[in-house]
Amino acid sequence: EGYAGGDAAITDLLDSVAFRVAPMMNPDGYLYTWSDERFWRKNRRNNGDGTFGVDWNRNFSAGWGGPGADNFTDGETYRGPSPFSEPESRALRDFTLGVPNAVFHIDFHAFSQLVLYPRGYNDTPIPQPDLGIHAALAEAYAGTIASVSGFDYLPIPGNQLYIASGIVTDWHYEEAGLYSFTLELRPADGGLGGFAPPPSEILPCAEENFAAVLDLGASVARGVVATFE
């Protein structure tokens, strides 16, 4: 809309950077949250033993099978029988690897107001200069949000939230070679209700993250490393 509407900054950005948006990566699981179990997390794979679902955000090959992912089928974070056993994780893998000149991946989650970056599957820092670049970009992202809405998002490595193996963020960094982030959206602390905030929170949350994504895109247009020189 900004491009068609004559917003010069957005026009310049979209003339330099392509954005690809997948609005829903767990359609079967999401549908199930409206019909049966509101806070269902996994997909709806039939595990063949009376249980259903794989947490496909534990199904990627980076760190797969490590701590922070269940190895039993009825666990909420069941990792699946093997890396990329799920159509959702395979689809995102194949899509990402087919994008030319890709630079960033951002995964939007609920909730906790965090900007997470690799690594998630253990507490060993990723090597420099990647660690410094990720940290600086995460801080800049949080700074943009604070300037737009006054809400504080904390930029930290994913393992500081908790250890999680086989996650999408680590795979996009380690295997696809991208700068990779997980955004945990509003609220900062809300119990299970944080997964379903009131409708009044939706637009402000979108607006603050939209502004931050535009700034990330601008760093791609300038050259990510050049952004910090």
Side-chain angles (χ1 to χ4, degrees):
E1 291 176 356
Y3 190 94
D7 185 308
I10 289 178
T11 299
D12 288 346
L13 180 60
L14 293 182
D15 283 343
S16 303
V17 179
F19 292 82
R20 291 168 170 83
V21 181
M24 172 51 60
M25 288 301 303
N26 186 20
D28 296 339
Y30 180 68
L31 186 63
Y32 192 72
T33 70
W34 288 101
S35 63
D36 290 78
E37 186 174 333
R38 186 67 184 97
F39 297 115
W40 183 261
R41 176 186 180 98
K42 302 183 285 184
N43 67 11
R44 292 296 297 163
R45 163 197 274 271
N46 186 339
N47 293 318
D49 59 0
T51 69
F52 291 84
V54 166
D55 182 351
W56 68 269
N57 195 33
R58 300 294 187 276
N59 190 240
F60 287 79
S61 55
W64 185 87
D70 293 326
N71 61 4
F72 46 92
T73 58
D74 60 350
E76 276 206 332
T77 60
Y78 174 49
R79 67 196 184 199
S82 61
F84 297 112
S85 61
E86 304 311 297
E88 297 87 356
S89 56
R90 292 196 302 272
L92 185 54
R93 175 198 64 190
D94 295 347
F95 177 81
T96 297
L97 295 177
V99 175
N101 303 314
V103 179
F104 277 105
H105 171 263
I106 306 175
D107 216 41
F108 288 96
H109 290 199
F111 65 97
S112 288
Q113 285 176 217
L114 301 171
V115 187
L116 304 177
Y117 52 91
R119 177 174 294 121
Y121 64 80
N122 63 36
D123 59 5
T124 302
I126 63 175
Q128 296 286 8
D130 293 349
L131 177 60
I133 293 172
H134 273 90
L137 289 171
E139 290 172 7
Y141 193 104
T144 298
I145 288 178
S147 71
V148 169
S149 66
F151 273 67
D152 292 325
Y153 281 60
L154 180 65
I156 56 173
N159 62 72
Q160 290 187 18
L161 175 61
Y162 50 71
I163 297 292
S165 300
I167 62 174
V168 62
T169 308
D170 286 345
W171 180 84
H172 275 84
Y173 167 67
E174 293 196 354
E175 303 296 333
L178 310 185
Y179 299 106
S180 184
F181 300 88
T182 292
L183 266 294
E184 299 284 358
L185 303 174
R186 301 187 190 188
D189 183 12
L192 282 179
F195 291 115
S200 61
E201 291 289 295
I202 295 172
L203 183 57
C205 183
E207 289 172 338
E208 66 195 14
N209 280 276
F210 178 69
V213 168
L214 292 183
D215 282 352
L216 266 184
S219 74
V220 173
R222 290 193 299 267
V224 173
V225 175
T227 298
F228 304 105
E229 291 179 342

